[in-house]
Amino acid sequence: MDKKILEKYQEWVKNVGKDKDLEIELKRIEGNSAEIEDRFYRELEFGTGGLRGVIGAGTNRMNYYTVARATQGMADFISAHNPTPSVAIAYDSRNKSAFFARTAAEVMAGNGIKCYIYSELMPTPMLSFAIRNLSCAAGIVITASHNPAKYNGYKAYGSDGCQLGLEDSEAILYRISRLNEFKDIKTIDFDTAFEKSLITFIDSKVIDEYFKSVRAESIHKDICKNSGLRVVYTPLNGAGNKPVRRVLKEIGITDVIVVPEQEKPDGNFPTCPYPNPEFKEALEVGLALCRREMPDLLLATDPDCDRVGIAVPKTPNGIEYELFSGNEVGAMLLEYICRERKALNTLPKGAVTVKSIVSTQIADKIAEKYGVKSIDVLTGFKFIGEQAGKLEEIGEEEKFIFGWEESYGYLPGSYVRDKDAVAASMMICEMAAFYRTKGMSLIDARSAMYKEYGCYFHKTDNIAFEGSSGMGKMKAIMSKIRSSCPKTIAGRDTVVFTDYAERTVTDLINNWHPPKSTELPKSDVVKLMLVDGSSIIVRPSGTEPKLKIYYTCVADTFDEAGAVQALIAEEFAKLIGIT
């Protein structure tokens, strides 16, 4: 074992005391080189996604000391740029989320920074809203989004309500790197800080204003009241239970059945080890309830309630339910918003929709039909929020009508700067109610959309790379793709290769290299366009030890497109060495 790793371990053994769980864990792994190395071979890196890691002892874990150290660095950065700064703090249902939120508040208060904290768990978008509503310099939400129960995380936000950009994240990381977690942290007891008004709970007026802003995005504001829409809802043991039920009640949907096993907050997620609404496994308990209750719609929000997934009956009898992809829901919501706002003459001139580069191109066709400008940005909702901010700077924020990404994140307005599953749940129900009044199901509406714009088949493969060697393996794969881009995949020539890290596009047919051919910021992403219109996008996840591969195929039918995708994915995996 590296001497520095052992010395760091011994330092922690001598100094931990704020969390008894850490003392127990460190004692348990004494003498176990592999376990010690895994916890101390690196520090959790503070990036644009903040921190995220397994809960436990060590510099490579989420715990009191890594949270306190990150917050001290953030406090130093905030204080250097604001004479009287304040921050907003929220947290979800994960294990130790409330404890880590109090830790962050104690450190901020210890640095003389005013803290506004929610008195109970709240969705991530409500943190974004509070930052702007309370004119805070920054915000923090303790969550690991949809990761398994062993994870927790720390998302950092700027005064605009967006997650921090690269420049600010790097400035904070520099400050963090100069701190010792046992010697350099300024802190004050939570109750003492509360008595001194350095920490206060966020007022109910802020919460009410948030819901008012969400309801303002509704298009047909009374359509749900008499629609007879029946909904089964699962918060997946997360923060969405109260907020989603409240907004549905306020728009007139009263027949809502909550999945009992997944209703109450529980960071162990006992019925869904991977609480991600993208995956059917997380929804099995809800789908079983649907088969008994036969609702029109299943809604599922992730633990911090910024993503939402849906399932709908395949047939009128409600026995079988089909999950919709994030691409399908995003495209359908975009079409609904564009068409109905245009019909009501509320679609602003110069309207803008924003999506990530890995989201479906069918959205471009929809936007073109309704005269809406479609903007592509890098993966990460902060880039979508930034576009809303740019419009606000010139007094045109009303032009931002919809932002979304294929990973189940949607935002129907500019009132917050992050994806919002509370508002998305409202809009999905409204859309379902609207089609119901037209004698159509969401299955019917989706079929109509594909009939008009074409059949786009999408699939995302997530390749996990755990442990200390995982990051190296992912870097090696990305390097291999860049240095020897496959010229042919499943009998289809690669015609264009885009490297977003180098900001270059290469026409492999004519060997053309236009300088700075993409205006997007540098990012560790590559894209391959094939001669038949298929595409492959590869990127390391910014929040998990995973390599994400996005496949898109277009054909006359889904069966045809799916067969093409299967062939391409099988051969591409072999070519880059992940089989």
Side-chain angles (χ1 to χ4, degrees):
M1 188 193 318
D2 186 279
K3 182 180 178 181
K4 290 183 179 179
I5 292 177
L6 182 59
E7 288 175 349
K8 196 66 180 178
Y9 164 74
Q10 292 170 341
E11 181 186 10
W12 274 61
V13 169
K14 291 178 182 178
N15 289 284
V16 296
K18 292 287 187 179
D19 189 338
K20 293 297 180 183
D21 292 341
L22 303 185
E23 290 183 312
I24 295 170
E25 183 178 344
L26 290 171
K27 185 175 182 179
R28 177 174 57 80
I29 65 172
E30 183 178 2
N32 190 324
S33 298
E35 293 286 357
I36 292 171
E37 182 176 358
D38 187 48
R39 287 162 175 78
F40 291 96
Y41 82 92
R42 68 164 190 157
E43 296 177 348
L44 284 183
E45 186 172 342
F46 189 97
T48 56
L51 302 173
R52 189 171 297 188
V54 174
I55 301 168
T59 57
N60 186 33
R61 294 288 190 269
M62 281 291 295
N63 53 63
Y64 172 87
Y65 298 98
T66 52
V67 168
R69 184 169 179 251
T71 306
Q72 183 64 56
M74 193 169 172
D76 291 342
F77 175 78
I78 294 169
S79 298
H81 293 82
N82 299 273
T84 56
S86 62
V87 300
I89 299 175
Y91 58 94
D92 69 1
S93 65
R94 287 185 173 271
N95 294 329
K96 293 188 177 289
S97 278
F99 174 63
F100 292 156
R102 287 173 67 95
T103 298
E106 289 175 342
V107 174
M108 286 294 181
N111 285 268
I113 297 172
K114 173 81 174 182
C115 288
Y116 299 96
I117 186 170
Y118 281 109
S119 60
E120 61 179 324
L121 72 169
M122 288 290 177
T124 289
M126 293 181 71
L127 183 278
S128 177
F129 184 85
I131 292 169
R132 289 160 52 78
N133 186 272
L134 297 169
S135 300
C136 293
I140 299 165
V141 59
I142 305 297
T143 178
S145 189
H146 54 277
N147 285 109
K150 66 180 181 179
Y151 286 87
N152 211 328
Y154 179 112
K155 291 182 181 179
Y157 290 73
S159 60
D160 59 355
C162 291
Q163 288 189 52
L164 292 179
L166 182 61
E167 184 176 338
D168 287 348
S169 295
E170 289 180 343
I172 293 172
L173 178 61
Y174 172 75
R175 287 168 169 80
I176 293 171
S177 69
R178 297 166 66 86
L179 298 171
N180 179 277
E181 57 267 41
F182 301 114
K183 299 176 183 178
D184 300 325
I185 311 303
K186 302 173 186 176
T187 185
I188 184 172
D189 175 73
F190 188 96
D191 293 334
T192 301
F194 193 86
E195 291 173 3
K196 294 182 177 182
S197 297
L198 279 169
I199 298 175
T200 61
F201 290 124
I202 293 175
D203 194 275
S204 60
K205 291 181 181 178
V206 176
I207 297 173
D208 292 341
E209 281 295 317
Y210 164 79
F211 281 99
K212 181 180 178 181
S213 297
V214 169
R215 293 195 309 274
E217 299 302 328
S218 172
I219 299 171
H220 294 289
K221 300 188 184 301
D222 296 321
I223 202 163
C224 292
K225 293 178 181 177
N226 299 311
S227 66
L229 195 72
R230 196 161 199 247
V231 176
V232 165
Y233 169 59
T234 172
L236 296 180
N237 300 115
N241 187 32
K242 290 183 180 180
V244 171
R245 293 169 75 174
R246 172 174 170 172
V247 78
L248 295 187
K249 183 178 180 181
E250 289 179 350
I251 64 172
I253 297 177
T254 56
D255 194 353
V256 179
I257 306 162
V258 181
V259 177
E261 299 93 333
Q262 298 175 338
E263 178 179 2
K264 301 300 182 183
D266 189 338
N268 294 314
F269 310 113
T271 61
C272 52
Y274 199 64
N276 185 346
E278 294 183 61
F279 301 127
K280 187 176 182 180
E281 292 78 7
L283 307 185
E284 288 294 354
V285 177
L287 290 169
L289 182 60
C290 285
R291 286 187 282 271
R292 296 194 299 272
E293 297 290 345
M294 295 189 291
D296 301 293
L297 181 66
L298 168 67
L299 288 174
T301 54
D302 68 343
D304 68 324
C305 197
D306 63 353
R307 302 170 191 255
V308 57
I310 72 169
V312 300
K314 284 186 176 181
T315 57
N317 62 20
I319 301 300
E320 291 187 69
Y321 281 76
E322 181 174 347
L323 275 65
F324 277 27
S325 71
N327 275 315
E328 289 172 333
V329 174
M332 291 175 69
L333 282 172
L334 175 63
E335 184 175 43
Y336 172 72
I337 291 168
C338 290
R339 185 187 61 239
E340 296 309 306
R341 289 193 64 173
K342 187 168 185 177
L344 295 172
N345 201 30
T346 61
L347 185 68
K349 185 178 180 180
V352 171
T353 182
V354 187
K355 64 179 174 66
S356 63
I357 58 173
V358 298
S359 299
T360 180
Q361 300 97 313
I362 198 172
D364 299 325
K365 290 187 174 182
I366 294 169
E368 182 181 7
K369 176 180 178 179
Y370 294 100
V372 172
K373 182 180 180 180
S374 182
I375 297 175
D376 280 359
V377 296
L378 293 175
T379 304
F381 220 88
K382 61 182 173 292
F383 297 113
I384 295 174
E386 285 174 358
Q387 293 297 320
K390 289 178 180 179
L391 290 169
E392 184 181 46
E393 288 175 1
I394 58 175
E396 297 180 352
E397 61 266 34
E398 78 284 350
K399 290 184 178 180
F400 183 93
I401 61 168
F402 191 51
W404 66 286
E405 58 187 11
E406 50 75 42
S407 55
Y408 292 60
Y410 317 104
L411 178 62
S414 62
Y415 59 97
V416 299
R417 300 297 159 80
D418 209 340
K419 49 190 176 288
D420 187 351
V422 179
S425 294
M426 178 191 76
M427 292 302 299
I428 289 167
C429 287
E430 179 184 316
M431 178 173 65
F434 172 83
Y435 286 122
R436 185 182 175 91
T437 65
K438 304 297 182 183
M440 297 172 65
S441 67
L442 288 179
I443 292 277
D444 297 330
R446 184 184 64 178
S447 296
M449 178 181 72
Y450 282 133
K451 183 178 180 180
E452 179 169 0
Y453 301 106
C455 293
Y456 285 71
F457 184 91
H458 305 275
K459 190 174 185 300
T460 303
D461 286 346
N462 294 276
I463 315 299
F465 293 88
E466 299 284 355
S468 59
S469 63
M471 295 299 292
K473 290 178 181 177
M474 287 194 290
K475 288 180 180 178
I477 290 171
M478 295 300 293
S479 178
K480 181 177 182 179
I481 296 172
R482 288 188 166 98
S483 63
S484 55
C485 173
K487 299 296 189 295
T488 302
I489 303 171
R492 294 159 175 82
D493 290 341
T494 306
V495 293
V496 178
F497 177 72
T498 303
D499 186 343
Y500 291 93
E502 296 296 327
R503 302 175 71 186
T504 58
V505 175
T506 302
D507 181 338
L508 296 178
I509 304 301
N510 301 305
N511 199 30
W512 173 53
H513 295 263
K516 291 187 179 180
S517 53
T518 173
E519 296 181 357
L520 297 178
K522 290 185 177 182
S523 184
D524 190 10
V525 182
V526 296
K527 180 178 181 179
L528 294 77
M529 288 294 301
L530 307 186
V531 69
D532 67 345
S534 300
S535 67
I536 305 169
I537 299 176
V538 189
R539 73 175 183 91
S541 171
T543 57
E544 305 170 77
K546 288 183 177 181
L547 195 70
K548 300 176 79 77
I549 307 177
Y550 304 83
Y551 297 97
T552 298
C553 295
V554 188
D556 293 333
T557 70
F558 279 105
D559 287 344
E560 292 174 343
V564 171
Q565 185 276 327
L567 288 173
I568 290 173
E570 181 181 7
E571 183 162 332
F572 185 67
K574 292 178 181 177
L575 289 169
I576 64 175
I578 59 173
T579 57

